[in-house]
Each structure stands twice: as C-alpha cells, then as structure tokens.
C-alpha cells in the first residue's frame, strides 16, 4: 500500500496542501527536513485522511507508487534546488516532480530543461490563495509537459477551488508557463491593492470619512461590479478596531508596505518584454516609497496645495471614486493579460487567456466576479486582441471616464497621491490618442544621434542633416 502522491516541505503551505490532498481521498506521503513538522502534522491532523509519515527523502521516494508524483513546497530559490539535487538520483524515468512554491519562472525553465534531460517531468505549478487556499482549494497554475499534466490532472482538480462546477486549474503551458502566470497574477494583485488603497485615501482625506464609514462604503461597493475578495477584506481591515489602543487598526499599523518579490519580478519581466504594465509598476514603486523613511523624512516639509478643493456633492464624489476604481482596474488587468500574451508569444507557450481568467475566478487572491467578464471578453475575441478591444469594457471605460478625470483632478488639487489611478487614466488617454508626441521624440533622437525616423506620408527610413542644411534623405 504505497502512497499515490508525496509532499516535502511541511511549513504552512505544504502542510495545508497535504491536508487538502488527504481530505480529498489521496494517500499522501509527507516529509520535512526537520522531522518536528512532520510529527506535528500527523499528531494534529493525522485523522483527516490517509497520511504516511516519512523521515527522509529516500523513505519518501520509496513510499510512492510509480510513476512517482512528488510535490516540493519548500522555501523558493536555493532550497528548491537543494531538494531537487538530493531527489534526482533517486528518481526514475517518467516520475513527476511538482514545484508548488513561488519560483521565478526563469528558474523553472532551467530546472525543467535539466530534469527533462534525465527523463523526469518537472512541473512548476503556481499556487495562489495563501494558507487558507492551500487547505480549502487554491487556484492552481501548472506548467510542464502535457503528459505530466495528464497524470496530475484528476488530483489537481480534486483539490483546487471550484466555481460553478469548474475547478480552478488548467494546464497553462509548457516549462515555466505556470510560474510565469502566477507571477503576473501577483503583479495584478499589487495593482489592485494599490488602487483600493488610493480609493480609501481619497475618501478619507478629501471627504474626511473615518475608517468605519469607509469600511461601509467598501461593503456597498462589494455588492456591485467591484465584488471581490480584495474589496471584502479591505472592508474587514478598515472596520477593525485595535484592542490595545481602541483606535482604528489602520491607524496603528506602520505605513511601510513590504514585498516579497513577485511584483518586482513582474515589472522586471515586463521591461524585458516591452509590455507596459504601468499600473503594476506604480504599485510596486508605491510600496518602495512607503518603505523609505529617510526619503519621506527629507521631503516631509514640502508644501501642499495652498487651497483645498471643495467637494460640494460628497455622494457624487463617492460614485466618481467607484467609477475611477473600476476603470483603473480594467486597465490594470488589461495590462497584466497583455503581459501574459506577450510572454506566451516570446516563450512559445500558447496560453489560453480565457482559461487563465477562468481559473482566477476562485481560490486566488484576485478572485472576483470581474474575472467572469474577462473570460467572456476572451470568448468573444478568440484571445488574441486585448481587453480594450472588448465592447463591454470599452463601454464601461467610456461611461466612467468623466468621473475618472474628476477624481484625478480633485486628488491632484487636494495633494492626495493617486499614482495607480492616474497612471491608468494616462494609459487610457495614451492608447486612444490619434497622435502621440512620440513623433517629437523621434525628431529629437534623429537630431542628436542620427537615429532616423519614418514618415506618415512615405515609405522608408529617413534622416535629416540637422547640423548642415536640414535636408532630408533616405537612410
Ligand atoms: P517557507 O517559504 O517559509 O519555507 C519553509 C519550508 O521550507 C520548511 O518546510 C523548511 O523546512 C523548508 N526548507 C527551507 N530551506 C530548506 C532546505 N535547504 N532544504 C529543505 N527544506 C528547506 O514556507 P511556506 O509554507 O510559507 O511557503 C512554501 C512555498 O510556498 C514558498 O515557495 C512560498 O513562496 C510559496 N507560497 C507561499 C504562500 C503563502 O501564503 N505563504 C502563498 C503561495 C505560495 P524546515 O522546516 O526543515 O526548516
């Protein structure tokens, strides 16, 4: 009686994933570098299902039926390589190694290629939903070979979140595709959180609402098209009162946002792909600025606006803010999905964007009704055109844009920073413009560096003799 799947790495994520597997009828062999975590899992949760505790990777491997299915859930980076290196000599052709940690997709590509040479399937699987998701049903984004996915599919479907009968798991693409998509998911999460935070800041500083009142506003937003896990937890956090001080919790938390790196990876990769994820980039930088006390200290005496803007209709302002948030969110998601499309083309993954929207509807941090609308959009466009080509989103943006502009104007006049909302509006106005000042940039480049330009009225590439007689010739 061997186990049909194994898990090594039993910190909070691995433990909960193992419990989820066992609760769904799998016979799960478990292992952790330090034995204590294994024992704790068995002692506390051993009665939840069929676990086999093992004391070494050797024992773990020997306990698994073949082809072996083995999930690694250890600290991302070097620890993952260490575990793979130790496991590899013990594995046989056809065995499947799943890395469910938050690996960088470039590492996953490297590992997949190395293991493929040895006949072992390596599946980099993005897992989103935090510890609760791992236990009750995450959104799972597996890469790797189609053969490996066929072997894993029934098990993954049984433990994934489920929305309207559809499990939140799909084969994203080969090698690092799964971890790539998980990375962009996290980038979008950064953008979404930043937009919500700006909305809170506006309601507080422009309208003077308290955290409790803003919690109520978000609860109301959550009954409409903004309905999402992130809006829901925002209302919970804002409504929470600190027991030590009896102050709103949000007022006693140090205002320096931390980050573990996936947002930064998203932006780094977007720069490589020339994919303009301005919403995600502003969100990452906003966290960076918040976490630089010296910079903030140096700048703290700088003057703000000499007159405060007057909002004579607070209810209309709240409506405007809701529209600005929704429109900005469309832009941030459109940019993120465009990055996935760019990655898919560059790394030859053939990712189905509608399928990605589908598996993000449940389990993960950005789960929302909104993802259903994105899925519907990709159903219409066959996945190649971006979300801004979709009629419903175009209509929503058009309907929101006056509100969006009023919000950015009032925020600017009030001196309240809204980098996420304003960059989204700038993107909207940039991509819809008939003419861009990029023509002037081309002129400047040609002037100082003879970098050449193309013309609107003639084919070919041209250069102007700026320092001689300003004559033009084909380059
Ligand atoms: P941690 O990232 O804190 O990692 C701790 C685990 O890694 C322990 O089991 C530890 O073993 C093991 N480990 C560390 N170094 C080594 C090594 N050199 N060799 C063998 N084992 C090692 O655990 P989490 O559960 O928080 O996360 C696991 C993975 O899931 C990470 O990749 C994380 O990024 C990812 N993830 C986490 C989420 C979260 O919400 N926490 C959400 C989604 C993904 P030991 O007990 O012996 O020290």
């Amino acid at each position: 009686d061997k186990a049909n799947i194994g898990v090594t790495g039993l910190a909070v994520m691995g433990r909960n994933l193992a419990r989820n597997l066992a609760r769904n009828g799998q016979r799960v062999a478990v292992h952790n570098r330090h034995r204590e975590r294994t024992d704790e899992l068995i002692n506390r949760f051993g009665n939840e299902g069929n676990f086999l505790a093992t004391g070494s990777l050797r024992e773990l491997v020997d306990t698994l039926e073949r082809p072996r299915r083995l999930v690694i859930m250890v600290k991302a980076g070097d620890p993952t390589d260490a575990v793979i290196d130790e496991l590899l000599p013990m594995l046989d052709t056809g065995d499947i190694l799943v890395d469910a940690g938050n690996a960088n997709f470039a590492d996953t590509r490297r590992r997949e290629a190395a293991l493929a040479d040895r006949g072992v399937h390596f599946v980099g699987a993005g897992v989103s939903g935090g510890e609760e998701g791992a236990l009750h049903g995450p959104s799972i984004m597996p890469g790797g070979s189609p053969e490996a996915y066929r072997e894993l599919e029934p098990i993954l479907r049984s433990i994934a979140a489920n929305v309207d009968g559809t499990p939140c798991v799909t084969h994203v693409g080969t090698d690092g595709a799964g971890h790539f998509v998980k990375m962009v998911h996290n980038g979008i999460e950064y953008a979404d959180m930043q937009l919500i935070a700006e909305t809170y800041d506006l309601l507080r500083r422009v309208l003077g609402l308290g955290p409790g009142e803003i919690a109520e506003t978000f609860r109301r937003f959550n009954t409409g098209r903004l309905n999402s896990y992130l809006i829901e937890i925002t209302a919970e956090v804002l409504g929470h009162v600190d027991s030590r001080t009896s102050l709103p919790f949000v007022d006693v938390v140090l205002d320096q946002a931390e980050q573990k790196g996936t947002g930064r990876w998203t932006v780094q990769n977007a720069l490589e792909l020339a994919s303009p994820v301005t919403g995600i980039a502003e969100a990452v930088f906003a966290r960076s600025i918040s976490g630089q006390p010296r910079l903030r200290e140096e700048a703290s005496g700088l003057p703000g606006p000499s007159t405060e803007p007057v909002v004579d209709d607070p209810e209309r302002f709240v409506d405007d803010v809701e529209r600005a948030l929704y429109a900005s969110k469309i832009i941030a998601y459109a940019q993120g999905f465009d990055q996935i499309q760019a990655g898919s083309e560059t790394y030859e993954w053939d990712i189905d964007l509608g399928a990605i929207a589908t598996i993000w509807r449940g389990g993960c941090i950005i789960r929302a009704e909104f993802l259903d609308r994105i899925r519907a959009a990709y159903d219409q466009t066959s996945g190649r055109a971006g979300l801004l080509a979709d009629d419903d989103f175009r209509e929503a943006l058009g309907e929101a844009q006056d509100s969006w502009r009023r919000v950015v104007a009032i925020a600017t006049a009030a001196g309240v920073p809204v980098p996420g909302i304003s960059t989204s509006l700038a993107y909207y106005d940039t991509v819809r413009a008939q003419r861009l000042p990029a023509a002037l940039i081309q002129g400047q480049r040609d002037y100082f560096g003879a970098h050449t330009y193309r013309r609107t009225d003639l084919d070919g590439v041209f250069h102007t003799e700026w320092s001689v007689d300003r004559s033009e010739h084909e380059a």
Side-chain angles (χ1 to χ4, degrees):
D1 46 351
K2 298 222 163 189
N4 61 337
I5 191 157
V7 178
T8 181
L10 301 176
V12 50
M13 288 297 287
R15 178 177 80 188
N16 282 359
L17 206 67
R19 290 172 63 195
N20 187 350
L21 286 161
R23 287 167 164 200
N24 281 288
Q26 311 302 329
R27 187 162 163 73
V28 191
V30 288
H31 168 265
N32 193 67
R33 178 178 59 174
H34 293 102
R35 175 78 197 218
E36 295 79 10
R37 289 195 201 269
T38 314
D39 294 337
E40 197 201 337
L41 167 61
I42 301 300
N43 292 338
R44 288 179 58 192
F45 308 107
N47 59 355
E48 288 183 354
N50 215 334
F51 293 103
L52 269 172
T54 68
S56 67
L57 284 178
R58 176 82 259 171
E59 198 189 336
L60 175 68
V61 167
D62 289 343
T63 307
L64 295 172
E65 67 180 32
R66 289 159 74 173
R68 300 182 180 89
R69 301 182 198 90
L70 180 45
V71 179
I72 304 173
M73 199 43 147
V74 301
K75 207 173 172 59
D78 293 340
T80 306
D81 281 315
V83 172
I84 293 172
D85 289 346
E86 194 179 336
L87 278 170
L88 198 52
M90 308 175 193
L91 299 178
D92 294 304
T93 303
D95 285 350
I96 300 167
L97 216 46
V98 180
D99 175 16
N102 258 340
N104 186 307
F105 81 97
D107 287 337
T108 302
R109 279 163 75 80
R110 167 177 60 77
R111 291 168 183 148
E112 199 273 343
L115 269 66
D117 283 346
R118 305 281 300 270
V120 172
H121 295 287
F122 185 73
V123 175
V127 175
S128 177
E131 52 180 296
E132 283 298 298
L135 183 58
H136 299 293
S139 174
I140 311 178
M141 296 150 250
S145 69
E147 297 90 314
Y149 184 69
R150 265 198 297 281
E151 280 289 329
L152 296 169
E153 188 173 11
I155 300 178
L156 295 181
R157 287 172 71 95
S158 76
I159 62 164
N162 196 298
V163 178
D164 304 334
T166 306
C168 295
V169 57
T170 189
H171 183 230
V172 174
T174 54
D175 59 75
H179 277 139
F180 178 86
V181 164
K182 170 71 196 316
M183 172 188 80
V184 179
H185 164 283
N186 285 25
I188 293 174
E189 174 187 308
Y190 274 58
D192 209 337
M193 291 167 71
Q194 174 67 22
L195 292 172
I196 295 171
E198 290 174 16
T199 301
Y200 149 76
D201 209 22
L202 280 169
L203 295 175
R204 188 144 192 199
R205 291 176 58 188
V206 174
L207 290 189
L209 300 180
E213 292 168 300
I214 302 173
E216 279 312 312
T217 306
F218 278 114
R219 265 183 210 113
R220 192 159 54 73
F221 286 174
N222 205 35
T223 62
R225 59 189 177 171
L226 283 167
N227 177 268
S228 64
Y229 173 71
L230 280 173
I231 295 279
E232 178 193 325
I233 67 165
T234 299
E236 291 299 313
V237 173
L238 286 174
H240 182 55
V241 174
D242 178 54
S243 56
R244 216 175 73 82
T245 58
S246 301
L247 291 169
F249 169 77
V250 73
D251 288 345
V252 297
V253 176
L254 191 68
D255 60 347
Q256 297 182 16
E258 296 177 24
Q259 42 185 323
K260 293 211 306 205
T262 41
R264 181 171 61 237
W265 290 348
T266 310
V267 178
Q268 285 171 332
N269 171 261
L271 292 171
E272 293 296 323
L273 297 175
S275 194
V277 290
T278 57
I280 299 172
E282 286 293 353
V284 172
F285 285 131
R287 289 198 196 186
S288 307
I289 296 171
S290 80
Q292 297 195 25
R294 214 188 61 197
L295 171 67
R296 293 173 60 185
E297 177 61 33
E298 281 166 6
S300 66
L302 291 171
S306 37
T307 53
E308 295 285 314
V310 182
V311 175
D312 25 60
D313 188 345
E315 266 176 44
R316 187 178 84 151
F317 186 68
V318 174
D319 285 347
D320 280 350
V321 162
E322 193 269 348
R323 289 199 185 92
L325 175 55
Y326 188 67
S328 303
K329 182 170 163 133
I330 293 174
I331 297 297
Y333 280 66
Q335 292 178 338
F337 275 87
D338 283 350
Q339 182 176 359
I340 295 177
Q341 179 60 28
S344 178
E345 285 165 19
T346 301
Y347 310 114
E348 297 178 5
W349 287 323
D350 200 20
I351 296 175
D352 177 346
L353 299 184
I356 301 305
T358 303
I359 66 167
W360 285 353
R361 292 182 308 158
C364 63
I365 303 301
I366 63 171
R367 62 183 181 262
E369 254 178 58
F370 185 62
L371 270 315
D372 256 332
R373 260 161 265 154
I374 295 182
R375 179 174 71 150
Y378 282 120
D379 280 351
Q380 301 275 317
T381 63
S382 78
R384 285 283 176 257
L387 290 178
L388 301 191
D390 177 72
D391 287 340
D392 290 344
F393 284 123
R394 293 171 74 85
E395 196 184 313
L397 289 168
E399 189 260 332
Q401 57 118 10
D402 284 334
S403 295
W404 205 359
R405 295 181 197 289
R406 278 196 293 271
V407 167
V408 171
I410 288 174
T412 306
V416 177
V418 286
I421 295 174
S422 57
T423 199
S424 302
L425 179 56
Y427 180 85
Y428 172 83
D429 281 332
T430 300
V431 292
R432 69 177 192 82
Q434 294 290 324
R435 287 280 295 164
L436 289 173
L440 176 59
I441 307 262
Q442 284 297 80
Q444 293 164 333
R445 294 178 70 245
D446 190 58
Y447 192 107
F448 67 66
H451 292 306
T452 74
Y453 53 88
R454 285 174 294 145
R455 297 182 54 103
T456 56
D457 56 345
L458 295 171
D459 285 337
V461 175
F462 299 89
H463 170 59
T464 295
E465 296 295 342
W466 294 100
S467 53
V468 187
D469 57 358
R470 305 211 165 177
S471 63
E472 180 183 87
H473 57 83
E474 246 184 290

